[in-house]
Each structure stands twice: as C-alpha cells, then as structure tokens.
Amino acid sequence: MRDGERIILFDVGSGPNFMPSSGKLVDAMAEIELDPSTVTHVVFTHAHPDHLWGLLDDFDELIFSEAKYMISKPEWDFWIDPSTFDKMPEDRQGFAVGARKYLSFLEEKITRFNYGEEILPGILALDTHGHTPGHSSFEIRSGSDSLLILGDAITNHAISFEKPGWRISSDQDAEQGIKTRKMLLDRLASEKMQMVGYHLPYPGIGRAEAKDGAFRFVAA
Ligand SMILES: [Zn+2]
C-alpha cells in the first residue's frame, strides 16, 4: 500500500524455503520497481511460516532493512514464549520454532499493537483471532473507499464462504475461527467492502455476497 510517503507491506511471504512455488516477493517487487529498502512499514496479520519466514535474505539480514515492523501484542506474546512449542501439536511444532526464530530478529524494532488501534493513519487493527491466538485483519479507509486485509481469517473461496461454519484444520482454535469468519463475512457482505485474501484465487481481491443463508465469493 502506498500512502503519501509511506510504503506499507502486509506480511512478507514465506521466502524460498517453505515450498517450491514460493519465494517470489522480492522479484515481484522488482517488476514494479519497488526496492525493498524503501518499504517504510511491515504489518503482520500473524506469524505463520507463509506470512513471516520471508523476512531474511540468504545472509540472515532483514530484507526490508529500513522498515518499522508491527504485530498484535497477543500474536507476539504467543509465539515468542518458549513454552508455545510444547503446546503445539507435533506436526505444527516447526511453526513455533520458526516464528520464535524470525520474530527474535525484530525484538528491538517491532511495535506491538492492541486490537481496535489505528496503527497507521486510516488503518485499523481488527481482532480476528482463531486462526492464531493473535491474528489480526486490517480495515483500510480512504474517503468513502474501504478495503479489508483478511490475512488467513478467510482462506478458501468456496468453503470459507459457502460453509463458514465448517471447522478448518489450519485454524488453531477452530471454533473461534468459525465465529471470526462469520463476523467478517456479515460485515463484508452488508457493507459491500472490498477484501484482499492471500489464499483466494489470483489476484486475491473481491467481495462477499450473501447467498442462501451463507455467502459467495465475487472476484473483483
Ligand atoms: Zn496462517
């Protein structure tokens, strides 16, 4: 997001080591002639690998070297706590190791915000926990335009919309994930807001429409 002097990046992707198809963010930025060192703010929705592990280059230096970083206080507190490792199911313990490792690089330069705060002008942090304990979405307003950055509160363009009450295995707290998803879909549909979802079909922008007691994804 460009806003005057600010260049704001929401999440940093996974970097090249998470899966073969990943690690394209820096190249994609080069295509629009955006130098990573000109990013002024990096705002995290949550600390899962595909949103955080793209933080460092091959030499373990911060790619967005000049940026200020921001994450919700509950998300920081959960992942930085060494005892989180033991609280995670075995197949997710790698997430805990990775989150703690990468967040440690930011200890001195990250702001921990509370839900409901306007973290930057026109950007409101929303409580959308469930997918992770401190998951945030962001409501962006400019005049009469609005846009919601979902993070992973809504992930699948069919299931999340048409069966919002289904439990999703990637949600850490599946019941809370359902409550959060329904709350967001109600708002998105009634306020006709645009949304950006990283796991929605390319380019990940669209709206939600009420349909038969549930919802439907309408791509932009
Ligand atoms: Zn996630």
Side-chain angles (χ1 to χ4, degrees):
M1 173 180 169
R2 292 177 194 265
D3 180 23
E5 300 280 286
R6 284 182 285 274
I7 298 177
I8 305 157
L9 180 65
F10 292 88
D11 296 346
V12 297
S14 68
N17 300 321
F18 187 55
M19 48 176 68
S21 59
S22 69
K24 297 177 178 171
L25 176 60
V26 173
D27 287 345
M29 289 173 82
E31 279 186 32
I32 56 167
E33 292 174 10
L34 187 58
D35 185 321
S37 69
T38 62
V39 171
T40 59
H41 299 80
V42 173
V43 180
F44 291 107
T45 60
H46 65 303
H48 273 168
D50 49 328
H51 301 257
L52 170 66
W53 291 12
L55 190 68
L56 305 175
D57 64 17
D58 292 343
F59 305 98
D60 277 358
E61 301 281 350
L62 293 171
I63 292 174
F64 308 99
S65 53
E66 306 304 312
K68 294 190 169 84
Y69 291 80
M70 303 173 132
I71 196 167
S72 83
K73 188 170 185 313
E75 189 72 357
W76 173 272
D77 289 347
F78 179 75
W79 294 109
I80 209 71
D81 180 351
S83 73
T84 289
F85 180 87
D86 293 318
K87 293 179 201 149
M88 297 294 283
E90 218 170 293
D91 61 340
R92 294 283 180 96
Q93 285 179 328
F95 286 17
V97 173
R100 190 149 181 271
K101 172 191 152 182
Y102 286 97
L103 291 177
S104 300
F105 280 84
L106 300 176
E107 185 113 46
E108 304 297 319
K109 49 185 348 180
I110 197 164
T111 304
R112 293 143 222 185
F113 57 77
N114 294 304
Y115 294 136
E117 270 181 34
E118 188 173 358
I119 59 166
L120 288 166
I123 305 179
L124 183 68
L126 303 182
D127 175 356
T128 52
H129 78 287
H131 181 71
T132 59
H135 188 281
S136 308
S137 303
F138 301 97
E139 183 178 337
I140 299 175
R141 293 203 169 266
S142 174
S144 60
D145 286 337
S146 60
L147 173 75
L148 213 138
I149 309 248
L150 298 171
D152 281 358
I154 294 174
T155 48
N156 185 283
H157 67 288
I159 295 169
S160 301
F161 290 82
E162 293 179 29
K163 302 288 180 188
W166 282 13
R167 296 166 63 92
I168 303 293
S169 63
S170 64
D171 286 352
Q172 193 171 326
D173 178 342
E175 290 306 319
Q176 182 58 45
I178 290 168
K179 283 185 202 154
T180 291
R181 192 154 46 251
K182 288 181 170 175
M183 175 275 290
L184 280 176
L185 286 165
D186 276 336
R187 266 203 75 189
L188 286 160
S190 64
E191 297 179 27
K192 298 185 169 57
M193 282 175 88
Q194 288 233 76
M195 64 181 140
V196 174
Y198 311 131
H199 297 288
L200 298 174
Y202 181 85
I205 304 171
R207 295 177 192 277
E209 252 178 32
K211 181 201 159 199
D212 303 335
F215 300 90
R216 183 170 84 93
F217 175 62
V218 183

